[in-house]
Amino acid sequence: MRIQRVASFFLLLFFLAGCRNTYLVAQRFEDSSREYDRLVRWQEHENACMSFAVSTVADECLARAKAAKGVSMADYRVKRVDMDPEKGTATVRVEIDYYILPSTRLKTLEDVQQWRYEEVGGKERWRIVTPLPEFK
């Protein structure tokens, strides 16, 4: 009887190890999204690209970061978050109010961010698959 319990316990552990913990996936998304938002909000665009962009958009993201050197943020609002931890995908809609000196004209744009949960360097983490918005 004891051997059967131990075998059942190990079988349960193996089963749970193979399952994706949706709570953990959601928590990691919240942490990643907040950090990305913080970096963009405080004009640390290059750090945002290097930390979160997938390799397929990294170059475009960095090019947009360099083009946004003179951009000043007035406001950054997360409007909507749609996340599916089972699929490992998320969409975030953000409104950004900004201006480019010497102009004092306030502009607003909507950034639709696409995120994907994937394995990077042996660890799973959230990566953004859309580059920074273009600040014109």
Side-chain angles (χ1 to χ4, degrees), residues 51-68:
S51 298
F52 294 100
V54 296
S55 59
T56 56
V57 298
D59 290 338
E60 184 179 358
C61 190
L62 287 170
R64 289 184 182 186
K66 288 179 181 157

Side-chain angles (χ1 to χ4, degrees), residues 3 21-22 39 44 51-52 57 73 87 101 111 129:
I3 293 174
N21 183 336
T22 56
L39 291 170
E44 296 182 39
S51 298
F52 294 100
V57 298
M73 299 286 173
K87 291 181 182 177
L101 293 174
D111 183 23
V129 297

Side-chain angles (χ1 to χ4, degrees), residues 1-54:
M1 186 70 161
R2 181 179 165 102
I3 293 174
Q4 188 177 14
R5 283 187 189 165
V6 171
S8 296
F9 175 73
F10 281 112
L11 188 61
L12 178 64
L13 281 178
F14 286 127
F15 175 74
L16 291 176
C19 294
R20 179 181 275 182
N21 183 336
T22 56
Y23 173 77
L24 183 61
V25 171
Q27 185 62 46
R28 285 182 180 166
F29 173 73
E30 187 175 323
D31 294 344
S32 296
S33 179
R34 279 188 185 163
E35 179 61 13
Y36 179 82
D37 292 347
R38 186 190 69 77
L39 291 170
V40 173
R41 182 179 287 129
W42 293 104
Q43 290 93 11
E44 296 182 39
H45 301 124
E46 288 182 15
N47 287 341
C49 292
M50 290 186 294
S51 298
F52 294 100
V54 296

Side-chain angles (χ1 to χ4, degrees), residues 29-30 33 37 78-84 89-94 113 115:
F29 173 73
E30 187 175 323
S33 179
D37 292 347
V78 176
K79 301 301 276 183
R80 183 176 178 159
V81 177
D82 296 312
M83 190 213 10
D84 186 343
T89 59
T91 302
V92 180
R93 293 186 182 278
V94 176
Q113 304 166 359
W115 291 79

